[in-house]
């Protein structure tokens, strides 16, 4: 997992995807749900950067379910941002801005600044992002709509309105 993260943040061509896949299998075999969730997140972000959106969405969606079940707000904010990037790639900028707004609001409420830190120092301009792709007033308006969501509403919205937010898989 550490090697995959290194390759991701050092911007190797494969973004550490192979190492993260191996880590995911190891953590699953050990029953380590926390590291399974973090591996799913990192695998999804690596695939995002490679432009493999369908598989990225699958892993990120699985990760947010785990993070939600564990009440891991840092993981939730990161995966909300991940899914915002997927929405940008899908061409759904209002959705992307709402997800980003929900992530920034959760960050402000909890003080878990990891998502903002990653966005500013590593992700800006590297993967699809909503900032700069829509007028500022629209970004603010849609972001405020996302910020107005409760945690449960934001996660359900991120999961496309799924009614069951926890997972046993």
């Amino acid at each position: 997992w550490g090697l995959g993260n290194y390759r991701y943040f050092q911007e190797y061509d494969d973004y550490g995807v192979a190492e993260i896949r191996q880590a995911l299998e190891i953590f699953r075999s050990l029953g380590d749900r926390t590291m399974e969730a973090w591996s799913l997140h990192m695998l999804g972000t690596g695939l995002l950067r490679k432009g493999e959106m369908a598989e990225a969405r699958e892993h990120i969606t699985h990760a947010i379910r785990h993070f939600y079940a564990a009440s891991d707000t840092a993981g939730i904010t990161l995966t909300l941002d991940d899914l915002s990037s997927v929405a940008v790639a899908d061409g759904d900028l209002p959705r992307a801005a709402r997800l980003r707004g929900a992530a920034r609001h959760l960050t402000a409420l909890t003080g878990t600044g990891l998502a903002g830190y990653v966005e500013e120092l590593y992700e800006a301009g590297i993967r699809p992002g909503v900032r700069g792709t829509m007028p500022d007033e629209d970004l603010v308006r849609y972001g405020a709509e996302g910020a107005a969501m409760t945690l449960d509403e934001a996660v359900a919205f991120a999961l496309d309105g799924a009614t069951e937010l926890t997972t046993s898989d």
Side-chain angles (χ1 to χ4, degrees):
W1 187 81
L3 289 172
N5 276 269
Y6 177 81
R7 292 179 68 86
Y8 177 85
F9 287 107
Q10 294 298 314
E11 299 184 39
Y12 280 62
D13 289 342
D14 65 352
Y15 298 108
V17 167
E19 290 82 3
I20 297 296
R21 284 188 198 281
Q22 290 175 337
L24 176 60
E25 292 309 311
I26 291 168
F27 292 129
R28 280 184 172 157
S29 72
L30 295 172
D32 187 334
R33 303 284 272 175
T34 298
M35 290 308 298
E36 178 182 346
W38 283 99
S39 295
L40 287 163
H41 156 66
M42 287 305 300
L43 179 56
T45 60
L47 292 166
L48 262 172
R49 288 176 75 178
K50 290 177 70 167
E52 299 175 23
M53 296 302 165
E55 188 180 357
R57 178 185 293 108
E58 176 187 331
H59 294 300
I60 295 163
T61 299
H62 199 158
I64 198 170
R65 288 177 180 277
H66 283 315
F67 288 135
Y68 180 81
S71 299
D72 184 334
T73 55
I76 293 169
T77 58
L78 286 166
T79 50
L80 288 170
D81 276 342
D82 296 343
L83 291 170
S84 175
S85 289
V86 171
V88 170
D90 289 345
D92 191 346
L93 299 182
R95 177 178 180 73
R98 287 181 185 109
L99 288 166
R100 185 179 182 280
R104 292 301 156 273
H105 180 68
L106 183 58
T107 294
L109 283 178
T110 63
T112 55
L114 185 58
Y117 175 80
V118 169
E119 179 186 44
E120 295 300 323
L121 293 179
Y122 294 105
E123 303 290 87
I126 294 174
R127 69 180 199 181
V130 70
R131 290 186 315 171
T133 59
M134 68 185 331
D136 288 344
E137 61 272 7
D138 289 343
L139 181 63
V140 168
R141 182 183 49 164
Y142 291 122
E145 290 175 12
M149 294 180 196
T150 66
L151 175 62
D152 292 346
E153 291 168 341
V155 172
F157 180 72
L159 296 171
D160 293 321
T163 56
E164 180 61 41
L165 296 178
T166 59
T167 183
S168 60
D169 53 297

